[in-house]
Amino acid sequence: MLTSETKQDISPLGSPGSKIDLTFKRRIAEICGENVMSCYQCGECTAGCPAAFSMDIAPNQVMRMAQLGMKDEVLESSSIWLCAGCETCATRCPRGVALSKVMDACRQLAVKEGKHIKQPNVLKFHKEFLRQVTWHGRAHEIGLMGIYKVRSRDLFSDVFSGIQMFLKGKLGLIPSRVKGLAEVRGLFKK
Amino acid sequence: MKYAYFPGCSLESTGKEFNESTRLVAEDLGIELIEIPDWNCCGATSAHSLDHKLSIALPARNLGIAESMGLDVIAPCAACYNRMRGAEVEMKENADLRDRINSDLEKPYTGKIGVKSALEVFTFPEVLEKVAEKTSRKLPGLKPACYYGCLLIRPPKVLGFDDPENPKSLDTAMEMVGAEPVEWYFKNECCGASFGIAKSDMVVKLVGDIISNAKKHGANCIVTACPLCMTNLEMRQAAVGKLRGEDLTMPIFYFTELLGLAMESQGVKKCFASHLVDVNPALDAIGREQAVLVES
């Protein structure tokens, strides 16, 4: 069972050795268009978040830390990788901030800036998924699961369900391939 | 009624019953579905997590092809629908991004067509009327917990469909075919979605909460409109039942399968054979002959 990680003692001055970066909130806004300064800490996002129980920094804390420029703490947290993108926070925020988009922006910044990724398997999964799309133009579920398992060294979980699905004809071995693959690959360029 | 049909990757694979039942029901209701030729993946959670422009560009290619067909898009999968609708809205609002993406597309998207989910189309009042008309065998005794999940109803600013906190469309559809949907608390809670593989322990907890609440409120099955919800709810129920020491066995259906069952759509029972969890207890409750379990 997933248990909450030890809550860090977060002081308003940040953790030792980390720097305050006051441009952090602007970077977030440039990427996703959300203004973290609108947040007034009501806690609605954390109350409704299905993943908050497993996060090291609660969603409302991510917002507050972004306001304060605690970039390293946010980008190196588990939380940004444990957001499931369910949009509950964005639906309920009384200030109209889509925290789900802020999480997206933080993930992108963490990868771009080569930060320590606290949930490497989640990133591996996303990268593998997108690699599938560059190969075939579509996600090939059995290939995705197989390669992800090798890369994450998690070989034996869910094998039974996988076999069951395969026997029920749900996991085709041959990926269907998009004809306009060159066009799809072209969309991956920045 | 005629739509450009976007099955998406899951419906080709783990969610194939959703694909089959959607096509069958559409045919019976006189809704013509023309598959978008050479469609590509919508990018799902992975694209928007790592690359914003890509998460708009991938669906935009499909929207461009659909626009050249002159048809609105119907996307049954909740994630595909959410990403495609998000791309539709952003391409309409953000001219700069639209131009950048369109310059890479053979068939540009200019906003002439829009995206709907299968749930939205099949619960149009005029379509539901037709469902009622064609329902030859109602489903009394079926007490579904209608499960909307996340991406069919959120964020409301983008999707503009149903109520994000107390959605009703699925319940209305189920009432239309004589089922008795239960009132419960988890209709719009997340199942963990794409964490099914990479963070399965999170999904186990969330699925446990959802099924446990449905059972507590007297449901004898859960009805969904999303292939990821289906996979998570089916795949994780045994593990979480063991963990909690309660019986969390629960048949899960796609809503299109139940519409098909009520309208006696030819071949809908084939869909039940590829479920991971036995649906017969729910079929027994409505006094239906058992589904054949060993066939492909």
Side-chain angles (χ1 to χ4, degrees):
Chain A
M1 200 70 203
L2 203 63
T3 51
S4 185
E5 295 177 32
T6 324
K7 292 272 183 279
Q8 298 169 349
D9 233 355
I10 297 158
S11 95
L13 301 172
S15 40
S18 70
K19 286 197 274 301
I20 294 292
D21 179 351
L22 292 175
T23 64
F24 184 36
K25 55 182 181 281
R26 204 176 329 129
R27 295 291 310 279
I28 291 173
E30 280 162 8
I31 295 173
C32 70
E34 297 297 312
N35 177 8
V36 298
M37 295 314 280
S38 297
C39 165
Y40 56 24
Q41 287 296 307
C42 69
E44 184 75 44
C45 48
T46 299
C49 177
F53 76 97
S54 65
M55 290 179 173
D56 50 357
I57 301 168
N60 65 301
Q61 289 179 312
V62 169
M63 288 300 270
R64 188 70 183 120
M65 289 162 86
Q67 290 174 344
L68 294 170
M70 295 163 75
K71 188 169 88 172
D72 292 348
E73 287 85 347
V74 171
L75 297 188
E76 297 192 346
S77 70
S78 271
S79 304
I80 60 169
W81 298 104
L82 295 175
C83 155
C86 77
E87 304 282 354
T88 305
C89 51
T91 301
R92 295 179 183 171
C93 177
R95 306 284 292 142
V97 182
L99 173 51
S100 45
K101 285 188 176 178
V102 173
M103 291 287 200
D104 273 344
C106 290
R107 288 188 273 252
Q108 286 157 37
L109 278 173
V111 173
K112 203 170 173 176
E113 300 194 3
K115 296 287 182 209
H116 169 71
I117 305 291
K118 208 164 171 187
Q119 293 287 339
N121 281 358
V122 176
L123 178 58
K124 277 178 191 152
F125 180 84
H126 290 322
K127 280 186 166 166
E128 204 42 57
F129 186 99
L130 293 179
R131 194 172 297 134
Q132 292 279 327
V133 181
T134 54
W135 282 347
H136 314 297
R138 295 180 187 175
H140 178 228
E141 288 180 327
I142 196 168
L144 172 65
M145 285 179 201
I147 297 171
Y148 164 77
K149 290 204 156 309
V150 172
R151 287 188 197 274
S152 64
R153 301 198 171 77
D154 164 27
L155 288 173
F156 300 108
S157 62
D158 304 328
V159 169
F160 178 70
S161 302
I163 292 171
Q164 234 187 333
M165 283 182 176
F166 179 73
L167 291 175
K168 288 181 181 279
K170 290 183 151 198
L171 294 173
L173 287 175
I174 313 290
S176 57
R177 185 165 267 212
V178 170
K179 288 190 204 75
L181 201 52
E183 187 191 359
V184 173
R185 285 176 181 166
L187 302 176
F188 278 76
K189 69 174 198 274
K190 291 286 175 217
Chain B
M1 248 192 235
K2 202 166 166 184
Y3 285 97
Y5 183 59
F6 183 80
C9 311
S10 287
L11 266 69
E12 296 252 290
S13 171
T14 47
K16 67 175 194 162
E17 324 76 299
F18 197 14
N19 191 12
E20 284 158 14
S21 53
T22 299
R23 288 175 187 269
L24 286 171
V25 168
E27 193 177 346
D28 282 1
L29 293 170
I31 300 170
E32 197 181 339
L33 303 180
I34 301 164
E35 189 166 328
I36 296 177
D38 207 41
W39 56 265
N40 58 272
C41 170
C42 72
T45 311
S46 300
H48 76 75
S49 289
L50 299 182
D51 184 343
H52 179 70
K53 177 181 163 269
L54 181 70
S55 76
I56 306 296
L58 286 169
R61 179 177 176 269
N62 299 314
L63 292 172
I65 301 172
E67 190 172 293
S68 71
M69 298 157 78
L71 295 173
D72 278 341
V73 175
I74 184 170
C77 166
C80 296
Y81 159 67
N82 190 287
R83 299 316 313 165
M84 304 262 281
R85 177 94 178 115
E88 175 199 337
V89 170
E90 189 141 351
M91 292 283 278
K92 281 176 179 171
E93 287 175 359
N94 184 340
D96 175 49
L97 186 74
R98 181 178 62 228
D99 295 341
R100 267 199 310 145
I101 288 174
N102 277 341
S103 66
D104 292 331
L105 293 177
E106 274 171 38
K107 293 183 170 143
Y109 175 62
T110 62
K112 287 196 186 79
I113 53 116
V115 182
K116 291 188 165 43
S117 68
L119 182 61
E120 189 169 3
V121 172
F122 288 159
T123 54
F124 283 155
E126 66 269 30
V127 176
L128 277 183
E129 251 166 59
K130 218 170 193 174
V131 170
E133 220 173 276
K134 289 192 169 275
T135 295
S136 38
R137 298 179 66 181
K138 291 204 164 190
L139 312 175
L142 192 74
K143 297 188 170 63
C146 292
Y147 179 54
Y148 300 77
C150 312
L151 298 182
L152 289 161
I153 49 173
R154 281 195 296 264
K157 253 194 303 199
V158 175
L159 304 182
F161 167 68
D162 212 333
D163 181 317
E165 299 297 356
N166 189 14
K168 288 266 192 280
S169 50
L170 203 45
D171 294 77
T172 310
M174 288 299 107
E175 280 164 6
M176 206 51 105
V177 293
E180 305 148 48
V182 301
E183 282 290 331
W184 67 311
Y185 300 150
F186 278 67
K187 53 164 57 171
N188 62 342
E189 289 287 334
C190 178
C191 70
S194 65
F195 287 145
I197 301 295
K199 271 267 157 253
S200 57
D201 36 10
M202 186 194 289
V203 172
V204 163
K205 181 207 177 272
L206 298 173
V207 164
D209 292 345
I210 291 162
I211 298 182
S212 176
N213 192 266
K215 272 208 188 281
K216 214 172 285 172
H217 288 85
N220 55 14
C221 68
I222 291 178
V223 184
T224 179
C226 169
L228 273 167
C229 295
M230 171 62 92
T231 301
N232 285 336
L233 289 169
E234 281 201 321
M235 214 165 130
R236 304 294 169 194
Q237 58 177 248
V240 69
K242 222 181 274 175
L243 203 69
R244 290 180 175 222
E246 38 181 321
D247 176 21
L248 291 180
T249 316
M250 180 73 101
I252 321 284
F253 290 101
Y254 287 113
F255 82 106
T256 41
E257 292 176 318
L258 293 175
L259 295 184
L261 193 67
M263 299 193 302
E264 299 202 289
S265 301
Q266 202 62 40
V268 81
K269 284 213 183 88
K270 257 197 197 154
C271 297
F272 300 141
S274 47
H275 280 244
L276 298 180
V277 174
D278 184 5
V279 298
N280 282 323
L283 297 180
D284 288 346
I286 47 178
R288 283 303 182 89
E289 60 280 8
Q290 299 242 323
V292 184
L293 285 181
V294 204
E295 61 167 298
S296 56

